[in-house]
Amino acid sequence: MNAAHGAAGEFDLIARIRARAPLRDDVLLGIGDDAALLRPPPAKLLAVATDTLNAGVHFPADTRPADIGWKALAVNLSDLAAMGAQPAWCTLSLSLPQADAAWLDGFLDGFLALAAQHRVALVGGDTTRGPLSVCVTAHGWVTPAAALRRDAARVGDDVWVTGTLGDAAAALAQWRAGGACDPALRARLDRPQPRVAAGLALAGLAHAAIDLSDGLLADLGHVCAASGVGAQIALAALPASPALQAAFAAPARAALQASGGDDYELCFTAAPAHREAIARLARQTGIAMTRIGRIDADPGVRALDAAGEAWRPAAAGYVHFAG
Ligand code: ADP
Ligand code: MG
């Protein structure tokens, strides 16, 4: 804590959080002391991910508190999923303009609903006064040899994505245009489903993985750069939801799918020998897995349109501090 916020308000809010925070057997000491005491399983690696959401930057200012809560945890669980890690615990740093108990209760509704789905315990955090900002750190574990790293793609691998692409970016485009937002698209923006089950199933099978937060081309570019390889993807192969197909025609749709952010799907690479096994995983987990391209030795990511021509995006992805 620090001197810049009202102590009564702060401790009130922390008490509300503590009363609702889910626990687990491996949490020896949760909210209330100077640090949490946690017992990771033996012979596993601890996986730790942190992401911050700022009002106006990461979510529209009119986003409901419950959706902010859901998304703040979802983006972190998505990072753990992209490592092939099993989520276990999280911490929550809240910066709030005022000690607003009703806002906090709504926020916790969304945050704790997702935490319950994945049995994640909230074990600590920080509460201060300031512009609306939410920082979550999520902890999980992974079998050492099975972790899905960005630097492990190999020439000849297939490139795959889970789910469908472009829905969240489409919702943002509709919101920015000031028109009606398709509810199915808006739900993908506000309530991303972290692909935890897919990440766990792919651990030890896929070579490299990343979660799609900044747009497919940008994020696949990170995998290629880290792995010292390149990739070619087919725009026509990118999976599109019925809602996206109904709302946007082909050229605009391709841009949303290839460059739009906030998908929180997994992009992974795997040897062609595993195509059948991956199709089986998709059936078992109920999460679509679509083959969209190939890893090659030519640096960079090349997107080809339906005619096989090189496609040039207007922007490769969302970059903070750009321009
Ligand atoms: P300290 O000054 O020792 O950091 P704080 O007063 O900041 O303690 O917090 C008291 C306890 O409440 C700590 O266990 C801390 O982890 C927890 N806590 C504070 N804010 C949050 C929050 N937003 N979510 C979960 N736990 C929190
Ligand atoms: Mg503190």
PDB file of all heavy atoms in Angstrom, residues 1-2 5 10-11 14 33-34 93 125-128, ligand 2:
ATOM      1  N   MET A   1       0.842  -1.201   0.000  1.00  0.00           N
ATOM      2  CA  MET A   1       0.000   0.000   0.000  1.00  0.00           C
ATOM      3  C   MET A   1       0.874   1.246   0.000  1.00  0.00           C
ATOM      4  O   MET A   1       2.068   1.189   0.263  1.00  0.00           O
ATOM      5  CB  MET A   1      -0.943   0.014   1.204  1.00  0.00           C
ATOM      6  CG  MET A   1      -0.262   0.118   2.552  1.00  0.00           C
ATOM      7  SD  MET A   1      -1.438   0.381   3.886  1.00  0.00           S
ATOM      8  CE  MET A   1      -1.885   2.079   3.634  1.00  0.00           C
ATOM      9  N   ASN A   2       0.287   2.424  -0.293  1.00  0.00           N
ATOM     10  CA  ASN A   2       1.028   3.662  -0.203  1.00  0.00           C
ATOM     11  C   ASN A   2       0.112   4.754   0.332  1.00  0.00           C
ATOM     12  O   ASN A   2      -1.069   4.523   0.597  1.00  0.00           O
ATOM     13  CB  ASN A   2       1.632   4.053  -1.559  1.00  0.00           C
ATOM     14  CG  ASN A   2       0.551   4.261  -2.599  1.00  0.00           C
ATOM     15  OD1 ASN A   2      -0.416   4.982  -2.348  1.00  0.00           O
ATOM     16  ND2 ASN A   2       0.702   3.636  -3.752  1.00  0.00           N
ATOM     17  N   HIS A   5      -3.798   6.823  -1.218  1.00  0.00           N
ATOM     18  CA  HIS A   5      -5.204   6.427  -1.294  1.00  0.00           C
ATOM     19  C   HIS A   5      -5.789   6.324   0.113  1.00  0.00           C
ATOM     20  O   HIS A   5      -5.094   6.107   1.089  1.00  0.00           O
ATOM     21  CB  HIS A   5      -5.337   5.112  -2.043  1.00  0.00           C
ATOM     22  CG  HIS A   5      -4.369   4.069  -1.589  1.00  0.00           C
ATOM     23  ND1 HIS A   5      -4.631   3.209  -0.580  1.00  0.00           N
ATOM     24  CD2 HIS A   5      -3.114   3.806  -2.005  1.00  0.00           C
ATOM     25  CE1 HIS A   5      -3.586   2.426  -0.396  1.00  0.00           C
ATOM     26  NE2 HIS A   5      -2.650   2.772  -1.239  1.00  0.00           N
ATOM     27  N   GLU A  10      -9.602   1.386   0.933  1.00  0.00           N
ATOM     28  CA  GLU A  10      -8.741   0.300   0.456  1.00  0.00           C
ATOM     29  C   GLU A  10      -9.026  -0.994   1.215  1.00  0.00           C
ATOM     30  O   GLU A  10      -9.226  -2.050   0.611  1.00  0.00           O
ATOM     31  CB  GLU A  10      -7.272   0.700   0.631  1.00  0.00           C
ATOM     32  CG  GLU A  10      -6.309  -0.445   0.323  1.00  0.00           C
ATOM     33  CD  GLU A  10      -4.903  -0.212   0.839  1.00  0.00           C
ATOM     34  OE1 GLU A  10      -4.626   0.902   1.330  1.00  0.00           O
ATOM     35  OE2 GLU A  10      -4.098  -1.145   0.766  1.00  0.00           O
ATOM     36  N   PHE A  11      -9.078  -0.919   2.547  1.00  0.00           N
ATOM     37  CA  PHE A  11      -9.235  -2.151   3.321  1.00  0.00           C
ATOM     38  C   PHE A  11     -10.645  -2.722   3.202  1.00  0.00           C
ATOM     39  O   PHE A  11     -10.841  -3.930   3.266  1.00  0.00           O
ATOM     40  CB  PHE A  11      -8.791  -1.938   4.767  1.00  0.00           C
ATOM     41  CG  PHE A  11      -7.307  -1.683   4.842  1.00  0.00           C
ATOM     42  CD1 PHE A  11      -6.805  -0.494   5.329  1.00  0.00           C
ATOM     43  CD2 PHE A  11      -6.411  -2.628   4.345  1.00  0.00           C
ATOM     44  CE1 PHE A  11      -5.433  -0.259   5.342  1.00  0.00           C
ATOM     45  CE2 PHE A  11      -5.036  -2.399   4.361  1.00  0.00           C
ATOM     46  CZ  PHE A  11      -4.545  -1.202   4.869  1.00  0.00           C
ATOM     47  N   ILE A  14     -10.484  -4.627  -0.033  1.00  0.00           N
ATOM     48  CA  ILE A  14      -9.728  -5.884   0.110  1.00  0.00           C
ATOM     49  C   ILE A  14     -10.566  -6.918   0.870  1.00  0.00           C
ATOM     50  O   ILE A  14     -10.576  -8.102   0.519  1.00  0.00           O
ATOM     51  CB  ILE A  14      -8.369  -5.635   0.816  1.00  0.00           C
ATOM     52  CG1 ILE A  14      -7.482  -4.734  -0.057  1.00  0.00           C
ATOM     53  CG2 ILE A  14      -7.657  -6.946   1.091  1.00  0.00           C
ATOM     54  CD1 ILE A  14      -6.187  -4.290   0.599  1.00  0.00           C
ATOM     55  N   ASP A  33      -1.852 -11.771   4.393  1.00  0.00           N
ATOM     56  CA  ASP A  33      -0.510 -11.606   4.956  1.00  0.00           C
ATOM     57  C   ASP A  33       0.326 -10.793   3.974  1.00  0.00           C
ATOM     58  O   ASP A  33      -0.188 -10.261   2.995  1.00  0.00           O
ATOM     59  CB  ASP A  33       0.112 -12.981   5.240  1.00  0.00           C
ATOM     60  CG  ASP A  33       1.043 -12.946   6.452  1.00  0.00           C
ATOM     61  OD1 ASP A  33       1.884 -12.023   6.520  1.00  0.00           O
ATOM     62  OD2 ASP A  33       0.917 -13.836   7.316  1.00  0.00           O
ATOM     63  N   ASP A  34       1.628 -10.689   4.247  1.00  0.00           N
ATOM     64  CA  ASP A  34       2.488  -9.899   3.365  1.00  0.00           C
ATOM     65  C   ASP A  34       2.762 -10.612   2.046  1.00  0.00           C
ATOM     66  O   ASP A  34       3.097  -9.972   1.053  1.00  0.00           O
ATOM     67  CB  ASP A  34       3.806  -9.577   4.074  1.00  0.00           C
ATOM     68  CG  ASP A  34       3.560  -8.662   5.261  1.00  0.00           C
ATOM     69  OD1 ASP A  34       2.861  -7.652   5.081  1.00  0.00           O
ATOM     70  OD2 ASP A  34       4.030  -8.974   6.365  1.00  0.00           O
ATOM     71  N   SER A  93      -3.823  -6.822  -9.115  1.00  0.00           N
ATOM     72  CA  SER A  93      -3.518  -5.440  -8.738  1.00  0.00           C
ATOM     73  C   SER A  93      -4.545  -4.531  -9.384  1.00  0.00           C
ATOM     74  O   SER A  93      -4.676  -4.492 -10.608  1.00  0.00           O
ATOM     75  CB  SER A  93      -2.119  -5.042  -9.209  1.00  0.00           C
ATOM     76  OG  SER A  93      -1.179  -5.484  -8.281  1.00  0.00           O
ATOM     77  N   GLY A 125      -2.714  -9.553  -3.951  1.00  0.00           N
ATOM     78  CA  GLY A 125      -2.786  -8.463  -4.911  1.00  0.00           C
ATOM     79  C   GLY A 125      -2.468  -7.140  -4.262  1.00  0.00           C
ATOM     80  O   GLY A 125      -1.808  -7.086  -3.215  1.00  0.00           O
ATOM     81  N   ASP A 126      -2.947  -6.075  -4.879  1.00  0.00           N
ATOM     82  CA  ASP A 126      -2.686  -4.733  -4.393  1.00  0.00           C
ATOM     83  C   ASP A 126      -3.863  -3.868  -4.824  1.00  0.00           C
ATOM     84  O   ASP A 126      -4.452  -4.106  -5.884  1.00  0.00           O
ATOM     85  CB  ASP A 126      -1.371  -4.222  -5.004  1.00  0.00           C
ATOM     86  CG  ASP A 126      -0.778  -3.075  -4.209  1.00  0.00           C
ATOM     87  OD1 ASP A 126      -1.056  -2.973  -2.996  1.00  0.00           O
ATOM     88  OD2 ASP A 126      -0.043  -2.281  -4.817  1.00  0.00           O
ATOM     89  N   THR A 127      -4.222  -2.898  -3.991  1.00  0.00           N
ATOM     90  CA  THR A 127      -5.370  -2.051  -4.286  1.00  0.00           C
ATOM     91  C   THR A 127      -4.972  -0.598  -4.052  1.00  0.00           C
ATOM     92  O   THR A 127      -4.606  -0.239  -2.930  1.00  0.00           O
ATOM     93  CB  THR A 127      -6.574  -2.423  -3.392  1.00  0.00           C
ATOM     94  OG1 THR A 127      -6.821  -3.822  -3.526  1.00  0.00           O
ATOM     95  CG2 THR A 127      -7.816  -1.654  -3.785  1.00  0.00           C
ATOM     96  N   THR A 128      -5.011   0.216  -5.096  1.00  0.00           N
ATOM     97  CA  THR A 128      -4.578   1.609  -4.984  1.00  0.00           C
ATOM     98  C   THR A 128      -5.553   2.522  -5.724  1.00  0.00           C
ATOM     99  O   THR A 128      -6.387   2.049  -6.498  1.00  0.00           O
ATOM    100  CB  THR A 128      -3.173   1.811  -5.606  1.00  0.00           C
ATOM    101  OG1 THR A 128      -3.202   1.374  -6.955  1.00  0.00           O
ATOM    102  CG2 THR A 128      -2.113   1.036  -4.849  1.00  0.00           C
TER     103      THR A 128
HETATM  104 MG    MG B   2       0.452  -4.374  -1.004  1.00  0.00          MG
END
